[in-house]
Amino acid sequence: MTTSTAAAVSTDLSTRYLGLALPHPFMPGASPMVDDLDMVRRLEDAGAAAIVMHSLFEEQIEMEQGRTLYDIESNVNVFSEASSFFPRPAEFRLGPQTYLEQIRRIKEAVKVPVIASLNGITATGWLEYAKLIEQAGADALELNVYYVATNPDEDGAAVERRTVEIVRTVRQAIRIPIAVKLSPFFSSLSHFAARLEAAGADGLVLFNRFYQPDIDIEELEVRNELRLSDSSELLLRLRWMAILSAQRKLDLAVSGGVHTPADAVKAVMAGARSVQIVSAILKNGPQHLNALRVGLSRILEERGYESLAQMHGCMNLSRCPDPAAFERGNYMRILQGWRP
Ligand SMILES: Cc1cc2nc3c(=O)[nH]c(=O)nc-3n(C[C@H](O)[C@H](O)[C@H](O)COP(=O)(O)O)c2cc1C
Protein backbone atom coordinates (compact mmCIF):
# COMPACT_ATOMS: atom_id res chain seq x y z
CA MET A 1 0.00 0.00 0.00
CA THR A 2 1.31 3.48 -0.88
CA THR A 3 1.61 6.25 1.66
CA SER A 4 -1.45 8.47 1.88
CA THR A 5 -1.03 11.82 0.18
CA ALA A 6 -4.25 13.19 1.68
CA ALA A 7 -3.57 16.33 3.71
CA ALA A 8 -4.73 16.41 7.33
CA VAL A 9 -7.52 18.89 8.09
CA SER A 10 -8.51 20.13 11.53
CA THR A 11 -12.26 20.61 10.99
CA ASP A 12 -14.71 17.79 11.70
CA LEU A 13 -15.96 16.90 8.20
CA SER A 14 -17.44 13.56 9.23
CA THR A 15 -20.73 12.40 7.80
CA ARG A 16 -22.90 9.30 7.66
CA TYR A 17 -24.03 7.99 4.31
CA LEU A 18 -25.95 4.73 3.80
CA GLY A 19 -25.10 3.70 7.35
CA LEU A 20 -21.40 4.16 6.65
CA ALA A 21 -19.45 6.44 8.99
CA LEU A 22 -17.24 8.50 6.68
CA PRO A 23 -14.46 10.96 7.62
CA HIS A 24 -15.72 13.43 5.01
CA PRO A 25 -18.32 13.44 2.19
CA PHE A 26 -16.09 13.19 -0.93
CA MET A 27 -15.96 10.05 -3.04
CA PRO A 28 -15.45 9.26 -6.72
CA GLY A 29 -18.85 8.65 -8.32
CA ALA A 30 -19.59 5.70 -10.59
CA SER A 31 -17.06 5.66 -13.42
CA PRO A 32 -14.54 3.38 -15.16
CA MET A 33 -11.79 4.68 -12.87
CA VAL A 34 -12.44 1.60 -10.71
CA ASP A 35 -11.35 -0.79 -13.48
CA ASP A 36 -7.74 0.02 -12.72
CA LEU A 37 -6.64 -1.12 -9.25
CA ASP A 38 -3.73 1.27 -9.29
CA MET A 39 -6.16 4.14 -9.85
CA VAL A 40 -8.38 2.84 -7.04
CA ARG A 41 -5.38 2.96 -4.69
CA ARG A 42 -4.55 6.47 -5.87
CA LEU A 43 -8.12 7.54 -5.15
CA GLU A 44 -7.88 6.13 -1.64
CA ASP A 45 -4.49 7.80 -1.15
CA ALA A 46 -6.01 11.11 -2.25
CA GLY A 47 -8.53 10.66 0.54
CA ALA A 48 -11.60 9.13 -1.13
CA ALA A 49 -14.09 8.37 1.65
CA ALA A 50 -15.51 5.47 -0.38
CA ILE A 51 -15.21 4.00 -3.86
CA VAL A 52 -18.28 3.87 -6.11
CA MET A 53 -18.00 1.34 -8.90
CA HIS A 54 -19.37 1.85 -12.38
CA SER A 55 -22.54 -0.03 -13.25
CA LEU A 56 -23.15 -3.60 -14.19
CA PHE A 57 -26.04 -3.40 -16.67
CA GLU A 58 -29.19 -5.48 -16.80
CA GLU A 59 -28.59 -5.98 -20.53
CA GLN A 60 -25.13 -7.45 -19.84
CA ILE A 61 -26.55 -9.97 -17.41
CA GLU A 62 -29.42 -10.85 -19.73
CA MET A 63 -27.00 -11.30 -22.64
CA GLU A 64 -24.80 -13.56 -20.55
CA GLN A 65 -27.82 -15.65 -19.66
CA GLY A 66 -28.61 -15.98 -23.36
CA ARG A 67 -31.53 -13.60 -23.43
CA THR A 68 -31.84 -10.02 -24.53
CA LEU A 69 -33.79 -7.61 -22.42
CA TYR A 70 -36.44 -7.14 -25.05
CA ASP A 71 -36.95 -10.86 -25.70
CA ILE A 72 -38.46 -11.18 -22.25
CA GLU A 73 -40.81 -8.23 -22.58
CA SER A 74 -44.29 -8.53 -23.99
CA ASN A 75 -43.62 -5.99 -26.73
CA VAL A 76 -41.11 -8.30 -28.39
CA ASN A 77 -42.29 -7.64 -31.95
CA VAL A 78 -42.10 -3.90 -31.73
CA PHE A 79 -38.57 -4.10 -30.38
CA SER A 80 -37.26 -7.09 -32.33
CA GLU A 81 -34.31 -5.07 -33.59
CA ALA A 82 -33.77 -3.30 -30.27
CA SER A 83 -31.04 -5.61 -29.04
CA SER A 84 -28.82 -4.34 -31.88
CA PHE A 85 -28.81 -0.93 -30.17
CA PHE A 86 -26.78 -2.25 -27.25
CA PRO A 87 -23.01 -2.60 -27.07
CA ARG A 88 -21.78 -6.17 -27.58
CA PRO A 89 -20.55 -8.05 -24.48
CA ALA A 90 -16.91 -7.54 -25.48
CA GLU A 91 -17.40 -3.77 -25.53
CA PHE A 92 -18.11 -3.66 -21.79
CA ARG A 93 -15.04 -3.24 -19.64
CA LEU A 94 -16.15 -5.87 -17.13
CA GLY A 95 -18.56 -8.75 -17.73
CA PRO A 96 -20.89 -9.92 -14.95
CA GLN A 97 -18.39 -12.41 -13.51
CA THR A 98 -15.39 -10.11 -13.78
CA TYR A 99 -17.46 -7.35 -12.12
CA LEU A 100 -17.89 -9.56 -9.06
CA GLU A 101 -14.18 -10.40 -9.11
CA GLN A 102 -13.35 -6.70 -9.34
CA ILE A 103 -15.38 -6.03 -6.18
CA ARG A 104 -13.30 -8.63 -4.36
CA ARG A 105 -10.06 -7.19 -5.74
CA ILE A 106 -10.98 -3.64 -4.75
CA LYS A 107 -12.00 -4.78 -1.27
CA GLU A 108 -8.56 -6.38 -0.89
CA ALA A 109 -6.75 -3.35 -2.28
CA VAL A 110 -8.31 -0.59 -0.16
CA LYS A 111 -9.75 -0.06 3.31
CA VAL A 112 -12.53 2.36 2.41
CA PRO A 113 -16.11 1.14 1.78
CA VAL A 114 -16.98 -0.02 -1.73
CA ILE A 115 -20.34 0.83 -3.28
CA ALA A 116 -21.28 -1.31 -6.29
CA SER A 117 -23.82 -0.30 -8.95
CA LEU A 118 -26.53 -2.23 -10.77
CA ASN A 119 -28.14 -0.47 -13.70
CA GLY A 120 -31.45 -1.61 -15.12
CA ILE A 121 -35.17 -1.09 -15.43
CA THR A 122 -37.08 -4.29 -14.72
CA ALA A 123 -37.72 -6.17 -11.48
CA THR A 124 -36.74 -9.53 -13.01
CA GLY A 125 -34.16 -12.30 -12.65
CA TRP A 126 -31.09 -10.17 -13.34
CA LEU A 127 -31.53 -8.66 -9.87
CA GLU A 128 -30.12 -11.91 -8.46
CA TYR A 129 -26.83 -10.13 -9.01
CA ALA A 130 -27.61 -7.92 -6.02
CA LYS A 131 -27.07 -10.96 -3.81
CA LEU A 132 -23.86 -11.92 -5.62
CA ILE A 133 -22.59 -8.35 -5.25
CA GLU A 134 -23.28 -8.48 -1.52
CA GLN A 135 -21.51 -11.85 -1.29
CA ALA A 136 -18.52 -10.41 -3.18
CA GLY A 137 -18.10 -7.95 -0.32
CA ALA A 138 -19.68 -4.65 -1.44
CA ASP A 139 -20.61 -2.42 1.48
CA ALA A 140 -23.59 -0.83 -0.28
CA LEU A 141 -25.35 -0.93 -3.64
CA GLU A 142 -26.46 1.84 -5.97
CA LEU A 143 -29.39 1.05 -8.24
CA ASN A 144 -29.28 3.18 -11.35
CA VAL A 145 -32.64 3.20 -13.14
CA TYR A 146 -31.70 5.23 -16.22
CA TYR A 147 -34.69 5.09 -18.53
CA VAL A 148 -36.17 7.42 -21.12
CA ALA A 149 -39.93 6.77 -21.13
CA THR A 150 -41.04 6.79 -24.80
CA ASN A 151 -43.97 4.39 -24.86
CA PRO A 152 -47.22 6.36 -25.31
CA ASP A 153 -49.17 3.50 -23.67
CA GLU A 154 -47.12 3.62 -20.46
CA ASP A 155 -48.03 6.29 -17.95
CA GLY A 156 -45.71 7.83 -15.39
CA ALA A 157 -47.18 5.77 -12.56
CA ALA A 158 -46.15 2.56 -14.36
CA VAL A 159 -42.57 3.78 -14.74
CA GLU A 160 -42.43 4.67 -11.04
CA ARG A 161 -44.06 1.38 -10.01
CA ARG A 162 -41.36 -0.58 -11.82
CA THR A 163 -38.60 1.23 -9.98
CA VAL A 164 -40.34 0.77 -6.62
CA GLU A 165 -40.65 -2.94 -7.44
CA ILE A 166 -36.91 -3.13 -8.21
CA VAL A 167 -36.10 -1.56 -4.83
CA ARG A 168 -38.52 -3.86 -3.00
CA THR A 169 -37.09 -6.96 -4.70
CA VAL A 170 -33.49 -6.01 -3.94
CA ARG A 171 -34.36 -4.97 -0.38
CA GLN A 172 -35.76 -8.44 0.27
CA ALA A 173 -32.67 -10.10 -1.19
CA ILE A 174 -29.82 -8.25 0.51
CA ARG A 175 -28.91 -6.65 3.83
CA ILE A 176 -26.41 -4.01 2.69
CA PRO A 177 -27.75 -0.45 2.24
CA ILE A 178 -29.31 0.55 -1.08
CA ALA A 179 -29.22 3.92 -2.81
CA VAL A 180 -31.25 4.73 -5.91
CA LYS A 181 -29.62 6.94 -8.53
CA LEU A 182 -32.47 8.89 -10.06
CA SER A 183 -33.10 11.14 -12.99
CA PRO A 184 -34.71 14.54 -12.34
CA PHE A 185 -37.47 13.80 -14.87
CA PHE A 186 -40.30 12.55 -12.67
CA SER A 187 -43.51 14.52 -12.52
CA SER A 188 -43.75 14.30 -8.73
CA LEU A 189 -40.30 13.59 -7.42
CA SER A 190 -41.26 14.23 -3.77
CA HIS A 191 -43.98 11.57 -3.89
CA PHE A 192 -41.73 9.15 -5.75
CA ALA A 193 -38.93 9.64 -3.20
CA ALA A 194 -41.37 8.84 -0.39
CA ARG A 195 -42.37 5.60 -2.15
CA LEU A 196 -38.75 4.60 -2.68
CA GLU A 197 -38.03 5.19 1.00
CA ALA A 198 -41.06 3.11 1.97
CA ALA A 199 -39.87 0.33 -0.35
CA GLY A 200 -36.59 0.15 1.55
CA ALA A 201 -34.17 2.57 -0.12
CA ASP A 202 -31.60 3.97 2.31
CA GLY A 203 -30.47 6.77 0.05
CA LEU A 204 -30.95 8.64 -3.21
CA VAL A 205 -28.27 9.86 -5.58
CA LEU A 206 -29.29 13.11 -7.28
CA PHE A 207 -28.98 12.84 -10.25
CA ASN A 208 -28.15 10.66 -13.19
CA ARG A 209 -26.66 12.72 -15.97
CA PHE A 210 -28.52 12.44 -19.24
CA TYR A 211 -26.04 12.18 -22.06
CA GLN A 212 -28.13 13.46 -24.93
CA PRO A 213 -27.03 12.31 -28.35
CA ASP A 214 -26.33 15.11 -30.84
CA ILE A 215 -27.12 15.14 -34.58
CA ASP A 216 -24.37 15.23 -37.19
CA ILE A 217 -26.02 17.31 -39.95
CA GLU A 218 -23.41 16.35 -42.58
CA GLU A 219 -23.46 12.59 -42.08
CA LEU A 220 -27.10 12.44 -40.92
CA GLU A 221 -26.01 10.36 -37.98
CA VAL A 222 -26.61 10.37 -34.28
CA ARG A 223 -23.47 11.45 -32.47
CA ASN A 224 -22.79 10.04 -29.01
CA GLU A 225 -20.19 12.15 -27.34
CA LEU A 226 -19.55 12.26 -23.60
CA ARG A 227 -19.01 15.82 -22.41
CA LEU A 228 -17.82 16.28 -18.89
CA SER A 229 -19.90 18.45 -16.56
CA ASP A 230 -19.28 21.92 -15.19
CA SER A 231 -20.58 23.65 -12.05
CA SER A 232 -23.73 24.94 -13.78
CA GLU A 233 -25.15 21.39 -13.62
CA LEU A 234 -25.17 21.57 -9.85
CA LEU A 235 -28.12 23.96 -9.68
CA LEU A 236 -30.78 21.38 -10.57
CA ARG A 237 -29.31 19.08 -7.90
CA LEU A 238 -29.34 21.85 -5.29
CA ARG A 239 -33.01 22.53 -5.84
CA TRP A 240 -34.07 18.92 -5.32
CA MET A 241 -31.58 18.33 -2.54
CA ALA A 242 -33.10 21.30 -0.65
CA ILE A 243 -36.65 20.01 -1.19
CA LEU A 244 -36.09 16.29 -0.51
CA SER A 245 -33.72 16.64 2.44
CA ALA A 246 -36.43 18.61 4.22
CA GLN A 247 -38.99 15.88 3.57
CA ARG A 248 -37.22 12.54 3.81
CA LYS A 249 -35.02 10.69 6.29
CA LEU A 250 -33.04 8.75 3.69
CA ASP A 251 -29.50 9.93 2.88
CA LEU A 252 -28.93 12.07 -0.17
CA ALA A 253 -25.80 12.07 -2.30
CA VAL A 254 -25.13 14.72 -4.89
CA SER A 255 -23.79 13.60 -8.26
CA GLY A 256 -23.31 16.11 -11.06
CA GLY A 257 -21.54 19.42 -11.30
CA VAL A 258 -19.40 19.46 -8.16
CA HIS A 259 -16.03 20.92 -9.19
CA THR A 260 -15.02 23.35 -6.45
CA PRO A 261 -15.10 23.41 -2.62
CA ALA A 262 -17.85 26.07 -2.85
CA ASP A 263 -19.94 23.65 -4.96
CA ALA A 264 -19.57 21.05 -2.21
CA VAL A 265 -20.54 23.59 0.48
CA LYS A 266 -23.73 24.40 -1.45
CA ALA A 267 -24.58 20.70 -1.79
CA VAL A 268 -24.08 20.09 1.95
CA MET A 269 -26.05 23.21 2.86
CA ALA A 270 -28.87 21.93 0.65
CA GLY A 271 -28.77 18.57 2.44
CA ALA A 272 -26.21 16.25 0.82
CA ARG A 273 -24.69 13.58 3.09
CA SER A 274 -22.13 12.64 0.47
CA VAL A 275 -20.61 14.31 -2.56
CA GLN A 276 -19.77 12.22 -5.60
CA ILE A 277 -17.26 13.51 -8.12
CA VAL A 278 -16.42 12.19 -11.59
CA SER A 279 -15.80 14.93 -14.18
CA ALA A 280 -13.53 17.00 -11.91
CA ILE A 281 -11.39 13.94 -11.11
CA LEU A 282 -11.19 12.94 -14.76
CA LYS A 283 -10.06 16.50 -15.59
CA ASN A 284 -7.70 17.10 -12.66
CA GLY A 285 -6.68 13.67 -11.37
CA PRO A 286 -7.36 11.93 -8.02
CA GLN A 287 -5.63 14.68 -6.04
CA HIS A 288 -8.65 16.85 -6.76
CA LEU A 289 -10.43 14.91 -3.99
CA ASN A 290 -7.75 16.14 -1.59
CA ALA A 291 -8.06 19.73 -2.82
CA LEU A 292 -11.84 19.63 -2.35
CA ARG A 293 -11.53 18.33 1.20
CA VAL A 294 -8.93 20.91 2.19
CA GLY A 295 -10.98 23.66 0.51
CA LEU A 296 -14.17 22.57 2.27
CA SER A 297 -12.39 22.56 5.62
CA ARG A 298 -11.03 26.06 4.96
CA ILE A 299 -14.48 27.44 4.11
CA LEU A 300 -15.93 25.94 7.31
CA GLU A 301 -13.15 27.48 9.39
CA GLU A 302 -13.46 30.89 7.73
CA ARG A 303 -17.18 30.94 8.38
CA GLY A 304 -16.95 29.72 11.97
CA TYR A 305 -18.55 26.28 11.55
CA GLU A 306 -17.31 23.72 14.05
CA SER A 307 -18.32 20.74 11.94
CA LEU A 308 -19.86 19.74 8.67
CA ALA A 309 -22.87 18.47 10.63
CA GLN A 310 -23.53 22.05 11.76
CA MET A 311 -23.74 23.17 8.14
CA HIS A 312 -25.73 20.19 6.89
CA GLY A 313 -29.13 21.15 5.48
CA CYS A 314 -28.98 24.75 6.71
CA MET A 315 -30.25 25.92 3.30
CA ASN A 316 -32.87 23.25 2.78
CA LEU A 317 -36.58 24.01 2.71
CA SER A 318 -37.45 22.53 6.11
CA ARG A 319 -38.73 25.87 7.36
CA CYS A 320 -40.58 26.67 4.14
CA PRO A 321 -44.34 26.18 4.57
CA ASP A 322 -44.96 25.73 0.83
CA PRO A 323 -41.92 24.66 -1.26
CA ALA A 324 -43.97 24.65 -4.50
CA ALA A 325 -45.02 28.29 -3.95
CA PHE A 326 -41.41 29.17 -3.02
CA GLU A 327 -40.12 27.65 -6.27
CA ARG A 328 -42.81 29.39 -8.30
CA GLY A 329 -42.03 32.70 -6.62
CA ASN A 330 -38.32 32.27 -7.42
CA TYR A 331 -39.18 31.49 -11.00
CA MET A 332 -41.23 34.65 -11.37
CA ARG A 333 -38.55 36.74 -9.64
CA ILE A 334 -35.85 35.43 -11.98
CA LEU A 335 -37.96 36.31 -15.03
CA GLN A 336 -38.80 39.77 -13.69
CA GLY A 337 -35.18 40.38 -12.72
CA TRP A 338 -33.89 40.20 -16.29
CA ARG A 339 -32.50 43.52 -17.54
CA PRO A 340 -31.23 43.89 -21.12
C1 LIG B 1 -16.90 8.00 -18.32
C2 LIG B 1 -18.08 7.97 -17.37
C3 LIG B 1 -18.65 6.75 -17.05
C4 LIG B 1 -19.75 6.69 -16.18
N1 LIG B 1 -20.29 5.48 -15.85
C5 LIG B 1 -21.34 5.43 -14.99
C6 LIG B 1 -21.90 4.19 -14.60
O1 LIG B 1 -21.49 3.12 -15.02
N2 LIG B 1 -22.97 4.20 -13.74
C7 LIG B 1 -23.48 5.36 -13.23
O2 LIG B 1 -24.40 5.32 -12.43
N3 LIG B 1 -22.96 6.56 -13.59
C8 LIG B 1 -21.92 6.61 -14.44
N4 LIG B 1 -21.40 7.82 -14.81
C9 LIG B 1 -22.03 9.05 -14.29
C10 LIG B 1 -21.27 9.59 -13.08
O3 LIG B 1 -21.30 8.66 -12.01
C11 LIG B 1 -21.89 10.91 -12.59
O4 LIG B 1 -23.23 10.70 -12.18
C12 LIG B 1 -21.87 11.99 -13.65
O5 LIG B 1 -20.62 12.02 -14.33
C13 LIG B 1 -22.11 13.36 -13.02
O6 LIG B 1 -21.11 13.69 -12.10
P1 LIG B 1 -19.91 14.71 -12.46
O7 LIG B 1 -20.53 16.01 -12.79
O8 LIG B 1 -19.06 14.76 -11.21
O9 LIG B 1 -19.17 14.14 -13.63
C14 LIG B 1 -20.29 7.90 -15.65
C15 LIG B 1 -19.68 9.12 -15.99
C16 LIG B 1 -18.60 9.17 -16.83
C17 LIG B 1 -17.98 10.50 -17.15
Side-chain angles (χ1 to χ4, degrees):
M1 180 152 307
T2 44
T3 324
S4 173
T5 51
V9 295
S10 53
T11 339
D12 175 8
L13 300 181
S14 63
T15 183
R16 280 192 81 79
Y17 174 61
L18 304 181
L20 306 166
L22 306 177
H24 63 81
F26 296 110
M27 59 185 73
S31 85
M33 287 186 278
V34 296
D35 290 344
D36 173 5
L37 275 189
D38 192 45
M39 173 55 96
V40 173
R41 287 194 195 96
R42 286 174 62 202
L43 289 163
E44 184 186 46
D45 290 343
I51 300 289
V52 185
M53 295 183 66
H54 66 72
S55 301
L56 176 61
F57 293 89
E58 175 175 3
E59 291 81 352
Q60 280 182 276
I61 296 169
E62 292 294 342
M63 277 189 270
E64 195 194 55
Q65 293 172 350
R67 292 175 296 183
T68 65
L69 177 66
Y70 293 103
D71 287 341
I72 58 167
E73 300 234 306
S74 56
N75 41 14
V76 57
N77 293 328
V78 184
F79 292 109
S80 54
E81 70 171 275
S83 52
S84 69
F85 300 151
F86 298 113
R88 313 217 159 280
E91 291 175 58
F92 290 99
R93 288 185 175 85
L94 300 177
Q97 287 310 315
T98 40
Y99 190 89
L100 299 174
E101 283 158 26
Q102 188 69 356
I103 296 174
R104 289 190 200 100
R105 276 199 287 262
I106 295 174
K107 283 297 291 180
E108 277 168 24
V110 295
K111 293 199 177 71
V112 293
V114 175
I115 303 174
S117 167
L118 278 177
N119 196 319
I121 54 171
T122 65
T124 54
W126 74 285
L127 287 176
E128 288 152 19
Y129 265 77
K131 188 111 204 112
L132 300 178
I133 281 172
E134 179 178 50
Q135 285 164 0
D139 298 280
L141 177 64
E142 265 186 21
L143 294 170
N144 184 327
V145 291
Y146 184 107
Y147 179 65
V148 180
T150 60
N151 179 356
D153 296 327
E154 181 184 56
D155 65 14
V159 177
E160 291 184 10
R161 209 163 34 242
R162 252 203 334 256
T163 304
V164 169
E165 210 38 56
I166 289 175
V167 173
R168 205 170 280 138
T169 306
V170 175
R171 181 69 293 157
Q172 281 166 5
I174 62 173
R175 299 161 75 98
I176 55 174
I178 301 168
V180 187
K181 190 166 180 178
L182 288 177
S183 93
F185 306 122
F186 288 94
S187 45
S188 180
L189 200 48
S190 287
H191 176 259
F192 186 38
R195 290 187 67 200
L196 292 172
E197 188 173 66
D202 303 283
L204 298 178
V205 183
L206 308 181
F207 286 118
N208 248 323
R209 221 172 143 228
F210 272 66
Y211 300 101
Q212 353 264 3
D214 203 349
I215 291 178
D216 183 328
I217 59 172
E218 299 301 333
E219 303 294 329
L220 292 185
E221 274 176 6
V222 170
R223 191 163 272 201
N224 283 313
E225 197 180 308
L226 195 154
R227 294 196 192 111
L228 298 178
S229 72
D230 59 49
S231 295
S232 66
E233 294 197 20
L234 181 64
L235 301 183
L236 179 66
R237 277 86 184 161
L238 293 181
R239 157 178 286 172
W240 280 106
M241 197 64 72
I243 296 169
L244 295 180
S245 75
Q247 297 177 343
R248 305 262 56 89
K249 287 202 166 51
L250 42 63
D251 295 336
L252 300 177
V254 65
S255 174
V258 176
H259 288 253
T260 66
D263 291 339
V265 166
K266 293 175 195 174
V268 171
M269 285 181 162
R273 294 277 178 201
S274 80
V275 178
Q276 299 189 355
I277 324 279
V278 174
S279 292
I281 300 178
L282 292 177
K283 275 183 205 164
N284 306 305
Q287 276 305 319
H288 196 67
L289 284 169
N290 195 16
L292 285 171
R293 196 169 47 88
V294 171
L296 175 64
S297 172
R298 192 167 300 138
I299 293 176
L300 258 70
E301 269 172 43
E302 283 165 4
R303 303 213 171 15
Y305 289 95
E306 279 163 19
S307 67
L308 195 74
Q310 205 183 7
M311 176 186 269
H312 178 258
C314 69
M315 290 296 289
N316 77 9
L317 297 190
S318 56
R319 285 168 303 281
C320 175
D322 188 342
F326 175 77
E327 296 294 349
R328 214 173 140 70
N330 275 344
Y331 161 71
M332 287 188 270
R333 227 176 246 123
I334 286 171
L335 297 183
Q336 299 315 313
W338 168 254
R339 298 283 174 272

